[in-house]
Amino acid sequence: MTKKIGIIGSGFSSLAASCYLAKMGYEVEVFEKNETVGGRARQYKESGFTFDIGPTWYWMPDVFERFFSDFNVKPSDFYTLEKLNPAYTVYFDKEETITIEDSLEKIYNTFEAIEKGSGTYLKKFIEKAEDNYNVAIKDLVYKPGVSPLELVNAKTIARLGQFFGSISSEVRKTFKNPKLISILEFPVLFLGAKPSDTPSFYSFMNFADFGLGTFHPKGGMYTVIEGITALAKSLGVKINTNSNVEEILTEGTKATGIKINGKHVRKDIVVSGADYHHTETLLDIKHRQYSERYWDKKTFAPSSLLFYVGFDKKIKNVAHHTLFFDVDFDQHAYAIYDDPHWPEAPLFYASFPSITDASCAPEDKEAAIFLIPLAPGIEDTPELRTEYFNKIITRFEHITNQEVQDSIIVKKSFCVNDFIADYNSYKGNAYGMANTLLQTAFLRPKIKSKKVDHLYFTGQLTVPGPGVPPSLISGKLCAELVYKYN
Ligand SMILES: Cc1cc2nc3c(=O)[nH]c(=O)nc-3n(C[C@H](O)[C@H](O)[C@H](O)COP(=O)(O)OP(=O)(O)OC[C@H]3O[C@@H](n4cnc5c(N)ncnc54)[C@H](O)[C@@H]3O)c2cc1C
């Protein structure tokens, strides 16, 4: 008889898992608490503006291709990609920007013009980063994190030193210009920890950044969610929204179904793509694998304060992706990781998708997303949100040399309390659990429950980690373990 699988959540990891499991022959049903699918990658539309609520950087296109090719289809069957040029611009001051273009040669020249000799150093650095990418993203991240032995092979042994030195010290050994250092440290921020706490092996993110480039799916990242949802449905997956899972049902030590809106739904196997900590709270305490103390001691990726803003005019002097590194990085990192508090002077990121993609805003208007990384669990009030919007928008006007505040016609914020309310996120984290050395691979929370049979986890808190490409991979790893044991 066909086994029935219930999947909690409809983020990238749950949707990916649903596709693989349906292809393997299971009867798969997804249960999402919110009105729409997509999880952290949902979409917000207002007055003709379209905003991605979460991810905006489409990196590692090969991972998306590999995902779709597992189903004999291509990304282009579902959405249209554009390689961004420039990939992004970084403001270090009103007059000082560095723009990262769309090819390695151009980026080497940019570096060389700023620090003599750095173009040649960068070439070597990127060659090593590409080697790491080939080991990590084409192989290691596809291991299920079951045993430390998965990581042991000739290639990883040859790179052992890179697991113990940080990306921060590696970059500083070679580059002296502080702005170039900031640009080289930026990509690992996607992994959720400080560059000084991230192994230098993770320089593969620099290859993803400079070597592979930054893409924009027309219509925004949500079109990728729509594509995977269409794929899942074509494979027979049933998707239910407005379906809050209140409990994972068990008999003895076996998962037997889920309780949704007071109703028991029997399943042979339960998979959860909801945040790991939350999923365990759906179980009786005796069935939980990790204590509150365990979670509290982990390094979580930041939360964020986000603003989705529609401007009644086009915005000047910005790129599709623009980073504002005009204040001290260390004081902001300290406020996130060492002594959680609202940073005095926040770094921030702004995205203007309508620069590239006319479908994101009405004619002659601009859609903008502003993001300030924050410590998870930090106090979140309407007053703080307003104070910080005023801080960054005033700085934005000064640095980019234009007045914009009178042109705001749409504005919505999203912060810690929304991450908790909308996604049951632990302490309101945005990107899950950081990829530090002690939170990598087999050291992360496990995909297969050690206490409850027929219960599995997927998503950015388990293997391999935060980000859209890892979430897709996580769905595949989870499905493979389900298949192996059932
Ligand atoms: C602001 C922001 C910016 C980001 N930027 C990028 C980027 O540019 N590039 C990139 O690659 N990554 C980025 N990320 C990270 C990326 O979005 C995530 O890693 C990925 O989307 C996580 O997918 P997931 O499936 O693990 O979790 P989620 O997307 O959180 O999915 C979990 C789902 O479970 C649902 N759920 C929770 N509890 C229940 C319940 N009890 N019952 C039913 N359903 C439930 C939630 O509603 C949610 O839909 C960003 C994330 C955020 C928040």
Side-chain angles (χ1 to χ4, degrees):
M1 212 174 69
T2 308
K3 287 196 173 150
K4 293 183 179 164
I5 301 189
I7 301 188
I8 307 174
S10 66
F12 273 108
S13 63
S14 295
L15 291 175
S18 78
C19 292
Y20 285 106
L21 290 165
K23 190 181 165 202
M24 288 164 177
Y26 298 101
E27 190 182 312
V28 185
E29 205 173 354
V30 166
F31 299 93
E32 165 57 51
K33 74 185 268 291
N34 291 323
E35 267 173 35
T36 58
V37 295
R40 281 164 167 87
R42 286 175 308 157
Q43 188 181 59
Y44 171 58
K45 283 185 179 230
E46 191 181 329
S47 310
F49 293 93
T50 300
F51 306 95
D52 280 312
I53 292 183
T56 47
W57 299 73
Y58 187 105
W59 273 14
M60 304 185 183
D62 51 320
V63 173
F64 294 84
E65 278 158 25
R66 190 163 164 180
F67 168 77
F68 283 108
S69 75
D70 284 340
F71 304 93
N72 300 318
V73 287
K74 303 183 291 298
S76 59
D77 294 331
F78 299 96
Y79 51 90
T80 309
L81 277 181
E82 183 174 343
K83 189 170 190 186
L84 294 180
N85 190 26
Y88 54 95
T89 289
V90 187
Y91 270 97
F92 292 96
D93 206 343
K94 193 173 165 69
E95 310 297 337
E96 258 198 295
T97 57
I98 295 182
T99 289
I100 299 301
E101 293 182 83
D102 63 345
S103 82
L104 278 171
E105 276 314 311
K106 292 181 198 166
I107 300 169
Y108 296 149
N109 291 338
T110 301
F111 268 57
E112 188 62 33
I114 294 166
E115 182 180 320
K116 206 168 159 23
S118 68
T120 314
Y121 296 148
L122 182 63
K123 196 162 187 272
K124 283 197 193 119
F125 181 83
I126 291 296
E127 278 165 11
K128 191 166 159 188
E130 182 174 6
D131 272 355
N132 287 350
Y133 191 89
N134 289 334
V135 173
I137 304 299
K138 299 206 169 135
D139 180 24
L140 289 186
V141 293
Y142 286 91
K143 308 272 189 227
V146 172
S147 146
L149 296 177
E150 290 166 6
L151 299 183
V152 183
N153 62 42
K155 289 178 183 161
T156 49
I157 291 169
R159 289 167 177 78
L160 204 58
Q162 292 188 52
F163 286 92
F164 295 100
S166 77
I167 187 87
S168 184
S169 47
E170 171 87 6
V171 164
R172 281 171 166 74
K173 258 194 279 172
T174 319
F175 301 89
K176 299 293 164 239
N177 182 295
K179 299 179 184 77
L180 298 184
I181 291 174
S182 299
I183 286 183
L184 289 168
E185 287 183 341
F186 153 67
V188 299
L189 297 179
F190 281 110
L191 302 171
K194 279 194 289 195
S196 55
D197 290 338
T198 306
S200 67
F201 179 67
Y202 283 87
S203 68
F204 61 73
M205 292 296 286
N206 295 97
F207 177 70
D209 177 0
F210 290 176
L212 298 176
T214 302
F215 294 78
H216 173 76
K218 190 170 163 19
M221 288 292 277
Y222 190 68
T223 57
V224 185
I225 286 287
E226 288 176 323
I228 300 178
T229 305
L231 175 65
K233 287 184 177 166
S234 75
L235 293 161
V237 176
K238 188 168 173 222
I239 298 180
N240 308 281
T241 50
N242 294 313
S243 300
N244 182 39
V245 176
E246 293 151 0
E247 194 183 326
I248 295 173
L249 306 172
T250 52
E251 277 169 22
T253 57
K254 197 170 94 184
T256 53
I258 43 196
K259 186 169 144 196
I260 297 157
N261 302 330
K263 223 177 85 195
H264 285 203
V265 181
R266 287 195 73 86
K267 296 287 172 193
D268 300 300
I269 297 158
V270 176
V271 167
S272 179
D275 275 29
Y276 208 117
H277 171 270
H278 166 71
T279 302
E280 290 230 304
T281 67
L282 301 175
L283 291 161
D284 188 278
I285 197 156
K286 67 175 182 287
H287 291 318
R288 298 179 195 168
Q289 307 158 87
Y290 305 104
S291 64
E292 288 299 325
R293 202 174 120 77
Y294 168 91
W295 293 111
D296 196 43
K297 285 175 75 175
K298 292 289 157 196
T299 305
F300 267 79
S303 185
S304 297
L305 170 58
L306 291 128
F307 294 97
Y308 311 98
V309 179
F311 290 106
D312 196 12
K313 63 175 184 183
K314 295 306 272 182
I315 302 297
K316 295 180 297 180
N317 305 331
V318 289
H320 183 124
H321 294 298
T322 308
L323 300 163
F324 292 83
F325 285 5
D326 53 315
V327 296
D328 181 43
F329 175 86
D330 289 339
Q331 58 85 31
H332 191 150
Y334 184 78
I336 295 174
Y337 296 102
D338 302 306
D339 174 21
H341 61 273
W342 284 75
E344 189 56 37
L347 282 84
F348 65 97
Y349 152 65
S351 168
F352 304 90
S354 46
I355 289 181
T356 316
D357 183 348
S359 73
C360 293
E363 208 180 336
D364 296 327
K365 305 196 193 312
E366 206 87 88
I369 299 158
F370 294 89
L371 182 155
I372 306 173
L374 290 174
I378 205 167
E379 183 189 17
D380 168 18
T381 63
E383 293 74 25
L384 279 162
R385 294 185 188 196
T386 305
E387 182 188 331
Y388 274 76
F389 184 74
N390 292 340
K391 260 188 205 235
I392 61 167
I393 206 73
T394 312
R395 239 168 72 207
F396 178 83
E397 289 185 318
H398 170 71
I399 294 172
T400 62
N401 209 12
Q402 64 199 309
E403 286 177 6
V404 298
Q405 295 195 57
D406 288 348
S407 307
I408 295 174
I409 49 174
V410 165
K411 185 177 149 203
K412 177 183 161 74
S413 66
F414 198 92
C415 196
V416 175
N417 293 345
D418 301 300
F419 280 106
I420 296 170
D422 286 12
Y423 312 127
N424 289 316
S425 151
Y426 181 69
K427 293 191 180 175
N429 79 78
Y431 332 105
M433 219 170 91
N435 265 130
T436 59
L437 181 62
L438 296 178
Q439 295 183 174
T440 291
F442 66 97
L443 298 169
R444 295 180 73 79
K446 296 279 179 255
I447 288 180
K448 182 178 187 305
S449 170
K450 292 175 281 184
K451 290 205 170 171
V452 180
D453 293 333
H454 300 186
L455 174 61
Y456 295 81
F457 298 80
T458 182
Q460 58 178 357
L461 274 84
T462 176
V463 187
V468 173
S471 298
L472 291 178
I473 295 167
S474 179
K476 178 174 184 164
L477 295 174
C478 176
E480 285 171 349
L481 281 188
V482 169
Y483 188 72
K484 180 174 173 185
Y485 290 100
N486 301 277

